[in-house]
Amino acid sequence: MKSFFKNVLANIVAIVILCFVFFFFFIIMIAVSSMSGEKSVDVKKNSVLTINLKTSIIDSPTEEQQSIFNIKDKNQNILIYDAVEAIHKAKNDDNIKGISIETDHISAGTTQIDDLRNAIEDFKKSGKFVYAYGNAVSQASYYLGSVADQYYLNPSGGIELKGLATEVTFFKDFAEKYGIGIEVIRHGKFKSAVEPFLRNDISPENQEQLSTLLNDIWGNTSSKMAASRKMNAEEFKTVVDSLYGMIPDLTVKYKLADKLIQKTEYDQLIRTKLSIAEKDKLNKVSLQKYIDSFKDKDSSGEKVAVLYASGSINSGDEYNEIYSEKYIKYIKELQEDKKVKAVVLRINSPGGSANASDEILFELQQLKKTKPLVVSFGDYAASGGYYIAMGADKIYSEPNTLTGSIGVFGVLPYFKDIANKNGVRSDIVATNANSAYYSSLHGLTPYGVNLMTRSVEGTYKRFVHFVTQNRKQTFEQIDNIGGGRVWSGVRAKQIGLVDELGTLNDAVKFAAQKANLKSYNVASYPKKMTAFEQIFEDLNEDDISARVIKNKIGKANYEILEQLTSEKLKSEVKMEMPYRIKID
């Protein structure tokens, strides 16, 4: 028996040592991989700047997540600011002769594609060529690729050009069927984030705002595609309505593509354009490598800081998304950094916690007292995302930004019916009249409903108060365009919710001008996490479980599941937009 235990112990020790060796080897491999990506890049003559399938455009460093679940993912995450700067630099770079767009599915938001298109349109003024090639092309990728002088498609390919649609999912019957009660208090008839818990169909108000939003965005994007392809609006509408892009021959007939050719033939076209001999190599340089070739690593001198605020707004101290404690630290660091002469707050957020939003806004207001604060909106700057912008000297919005959503809500689920059906009940013993104003089994008491209503109404009035101060309008004016309604950037400019339509690059230039800077570096905050830091961030049980579930059921289904189960949903008063719109 003594010998048996010795053998068992020896095996356990051997397994532990083996696991440690494998883990150590895994870490070394990551380190080597990270270092290998830091080689200097030499851009050769007669090069072509290439936007390919590996290009993933992100808004903020916090969106770049290296995980043990995606270690094989070779996508190159590029900040939209860097991507636009690269295209502007390539315009005057004698080594870059043209741009090749070779992507079927681009990972980028609507406003990010707008910025890339605008930069490429400007690049074309140099007289250099822009070509595009696709196989099975998504609508978003075609939106980018259609800016090219010539668009080529694989003979067996297609373009999923279909317009925009949204599908709203409702949980009211589901909740009732399984005995889940949901208490909802909101201000704003357009505040549709809670509609899925209250109704079985879309409300007239939500139908109106969604229809307006979709038509605003599609009107803007479709007009650009039609103009690039030299089609009038009626022609383009017919092509989209008929899904002609799905049939290769019809893409040429109806001017979506110029010619059906294989990829090898496409490369040969570029070689001919550049007068490259058959034996010579075609130099294609990716967007990421081109950025690495010139990006200024010098942190000395005066700076314009870009503080990225991307994702939901929450209380806490985490790196990903927008956590109030973390962002307060960033803001104070920028306020104290004497090299930082101006700050651009880049917002790409649908909102979240009202309390966390209020904390962040206060610190931004303090920052504004010491140096210029300019705000730039990305895909979303709504509800809490719009709230934190109220400390700005000036607000820039993209035309297709979803913004506004000036409204507040609170949601508290309870499980009385499902508990009773399964033989579970409870009695409450309390010290005070409202010690149990809310219970997960009993829900809100009548006094609790009154209390939550007062809280929501008070938060809404505070929201509108800050908007009136920043936008210099009356309470009545803001309340009239508030009520939770979401607006496109174009309409937000018309009704005074933003100052200018422009890009992040425009906001940076204005901030530098306001700070009287003639020469400056642009510094990004928060700083990008290393691969080690990102992977170790994943090594907790809850996050691993969430990622496993997300990989199994898909991102879209996981987001629906999260709406039903998230602790954040029921923990506090929220300023949040109910949906996202993407050109897929």
Side-chain angles (χ1 to χ4, degrees):
M1 183 62 72
K2 195 173 183 180
S3 174
F4 171 77
F5 281 117
K6 281 175 67 178
N7 288 334
V8 170
L9 184 60
N11 285 328
I12 291 172
V13 171
I15 291 170
V16 170
I17 292 172
L18 192 61
C19 289
F20 176 79
V21 169
F22 273 114
F23 184 73
F24 182 75
F25 178 74
F26 175 70
I27 295 299
I28 292 296
M29 290 298 292
I30 295 171
V32 171
S33 175
S34 298
M35 289 187 291
S36 66
E38 296 175 359
K39 296 176 182 176
S40 60
V41 178
D42 180 31
V43 180
K44 299 176 182 177
K45 292 181 179 179
N46 245 11
S47 291
V48 179
L49 184 61
T50 307
I51 301 172
N52 55 29
L53 288 167
K54 294 179 182 177
T55 305
S56 180
I57 305 297
I58 59 175
D59 215 77
S60 161
T62 60
E63 294 176 34
E64 184 168 18
Q65 296 182 28
Q66 181 66 58
S67 164
I68 56 175
F69 292 94
N70 62 5
I71 196 68
K72 292 183 180 179
D73 188 357
K74 296 181 180 179
N75 273 14
Q76 298 166 332
N77 293 309
I78 303 169
L79 289 177
I80 183 60
Y81 181 86
D82 292 341
V84 170
E85 285 294 290
I87 295 169
H88 287 325
K89 182 173 177 60
K91 177 183 177 182
N92 300 310
D93 188 341
D94 292 336
N95 290 332
I96 300 293
K97 301 301 182 183
I99 291 177
S100 178
I101 304 170
E102 305 171 17
T103 180
D104 293 344
H105 301 277
I106 187 165
S107 177
T110 307
T111 62
Q112 294 161 358
I113 298 175
D114 281 332
D115 290 352
L116 290 176
R117 275 186 119 263
N118 291 338
I120 294 171
E121 287 281 16
D122 181 66
F123 174 90
K124 288 162 69 174
K125 294 175 184 176
S126 66
K128 299 176 181 181
F129 72 88
V130 178
Y131 288 170
Y133 183 85
N135 291 283
V137 185
S138 71
Q139 186 162 254
S141 292
Y142 187 73
Y143 179 39
L144 176 62
S146 62
V147 75
D149 304 313
Q150 298 287 314
Y151 195 98
Y152 299 96
L153 188 69
N154 187 282
S156 61
I159 301 167
E160 193 182 24
L161 191 60
K162 57 189 179 180
L164 299 180
T166 186
E167 185 174 8
V168 183
T169 307
F170 297 92
F171 307 115
K172 183 173 180 288
D173 283 353
F174 173 87
E176 289 179 356
K177 178 179 179 181
Y178 291 101
I180 302 170
I182 301 174
E183 296 275 9
V184 174
I185 296 97
R186 63 172 171 171
H187 184 108
K189 63 181 180 180
F190 290 99
K191 199 66 182 173
S192 55
V194 294
E195 264 195 17
F197 307 112
L198 299 174
R199 303 173 58 98
N200 290 317
D201 58 357
I202 195 166
S203 68
E205 293 83 7
N206 198 20
Q207 173 91 35
E208 177 190 340
Q209 75 170 339
L210 279 174
S211 178
T212 301
L213 274 173
L214 290 174
N215 280 291
D216 280 353
I217 294 171
W218 182 246
N220 187 17
T221 56
S222 64
S223 64
K224 290 180 181 178
M225 286 188 277
S228 293
R229 297 305 303 166
K230 297 179 174 56
M231 300 165 67
N232 63 45
E234 208 51 48
E235 282 180 304
F236 191 77
K237 185 177 186 305
T238 300
V239 168
V240 176
D241 287 348
S242 304
L243 300 178
Y244 286 153
M246 303 283 198
I247 311 299
D249 292 339
L250 296 183
T251 62
V252 176
K253 180 178 178 180
Y254 291 101
K255 299 188 284 188
L256 294 179
D258 294 288
K259 195 173 182 181
L260 302 178
I261 59 175
Q262 296 290 344
K263 183 62 165 50
T264 302
E265 295 174 297
Y266 173 75
D267 287 341
Q268 187 56 47
L269 273 174
I270 296 177
R271 298 175 73 91
T272 302
K273 182 76 175 176
L274 298 174
S275 301
I276 297 176
E278 194 68 39
K279 61 183 176 63
D280 294 331
K281 182 182 178 182
L282 176 58
N283 297 320
K284 288 187 178 182
V285 57
S286 71
L287 202 53
Q288 181 61 70
K289 286 186 176 180
Y290 188 62
I291 291 167
D292 292 340
S293 74
F294 72 84
K295 192 169 182 186
D296 188 8
K297 303 290 193 297
D298 182 13
S299 60
S300 63
E302 296 178 319
K303 295 185 285 189
V304 173
V306 179
L307 176 59
Y308 292 94
S310 185
S312 296
I313 302 174
N314 310 288
S315 297
D317 192 26
E318 296 181 36
Y319 176 76
N320 296 320
E321 300 196 316
I322 308 166
Y323 284 84
S324 57
E325 289 181 39
K326 186 75 77 177
Y327 270 80
I328 288 170
K329 291 176 188 174
Y330 297 150
I331 295 164
K332 288 182 175 178
E333 285 173 12
L334 294 175
Q335 190 171 2
E336 294 165 5
D337 191 336
K338 293 181 180 178
K339 290 181 180 178
V340 173
K341 301 300 182 182
V343 177
V344 174
L345 176 65
R346 171 67 168 190
I347 300 173
N348 194 24
S349 171
S353 162
N355 177 256
S357 300
D358 198 77
E359 288 184 290
I360 293 170
L361 174 59
F362 175 80
E363 297 301 334
L364 289 168
Q365 289 171 329
Q366 305 316 300
L367 173 67
K368 181 184 171 184
K369 293 176 182 177
T370 61
K371 52 193 71 178
L373 175 63
V374 180
V375 166
S376 167
F377 289 167
D379 280 349
Y380 312 98
S383 214
Y386 185 75
Y387 188 90
I388 63 175
M390 294 302 99
D393 291 305
K394 189 169 186 176
I395 299 174
Y396 283 84
S397 174
E398 304 269 3
N400 287 333
T401 296
L402 270 61
T403 188
S405 193
I406 302 167
V408 184
F409 69 90
V411 177
L412 291 100
Y414 62 95
F415 308 95
K416 181 177 180 180
D417 290 344
I418 191 173
N420 290 345
K421 287 176 183 176
N422 290 277
V424 178
R425 61 174 301 281
S426 69
D427 288 324
I428 294 173
V429 179
T431 60
N432 292 80
N434 290 293
S435 296
Y437 76 92
Y438 169 73
S439 158
S440 59
L441 284 181
H442 291 271
L444 280 171
T445 64
Y447 186 84
V449 172
N450 179 56
L451 185 74
M452 283 296 294
T453 301
R454 287 173 60 190
S455 176
V456 166
E457 292 296 328
T459 304
Y460 178 76
K461 287 177 182 176
R462 184 171 174 81
F463 194 162
V464 175
H465 165 71
F466 285 122
V467 179
T468 60
Q469 286 190 322
N470 186 272
R471 306 318 303 158
K472 296 177 174 56
Q473 297 188 39
T474 66
F475 188 96
E476 290 71 25
Q477 286 174 310
I478 297 301
D479 189 41
N480 189 48
I481 57 178
R485 180 155 187 172
V486 183
W487 305 91
S488 68
V490 171
R491 291 186 188 262
K493 171 69 168 63
Q494 293 170 357
I495 61 180
L497 290 180
V498 302
D499 296 298
E500 297 285 349
L501 295 179
T503 66
L504 172 57
N505 300 62
D506 294 326
V508 169
K509 289 174 185 175
F510 178 80
Q513 178 186 342
K514 193 169 178 64
N516 298 314
L517 298 177
K518 293 182 180 178
S519 177
Y520 59 92
N521 294 317
V522 177
S524 298
Y525 297 85
K527 297 298 184 184
K528 177 182 174 182
M529 289 177 70
T530 66
F532 286 119
E533 290 169 328
Q534 290 179 52
I535 287 172
F536 280 118
E537 190 86 0
D538 283 337
L539 296 180
N540 68 76
E541 185 179 343
D542 289 342
D543 193 61
I544 290 174
S545 300
R547 288 178 181 274
V548 169
I549 295 169
K550 188 186 291 187
N551 287 340
K552 287 291 184 184
I553 69 175
K555 183 178 178 182
N557 290 328
Y558 180 79
E559 287 174 354
I560 294 174
L561 175 66
E562 204 173 25
Q563 287 184 57
L564 289 170
T565 61
S566 174
E567 284 294 318
K568 296 173 186 174
L569 181 68
K570 61 188 179 184
S571 61
E572 55 189 319
V573 175
K574 308 291 280 187
M575 299 175 177
E576 192 160 10
M577 191 178 65
Y579 37 70
R580 320 286 191 268
I581 294 178
K582 290 180 69 178
I583 300 178
D584 289 325

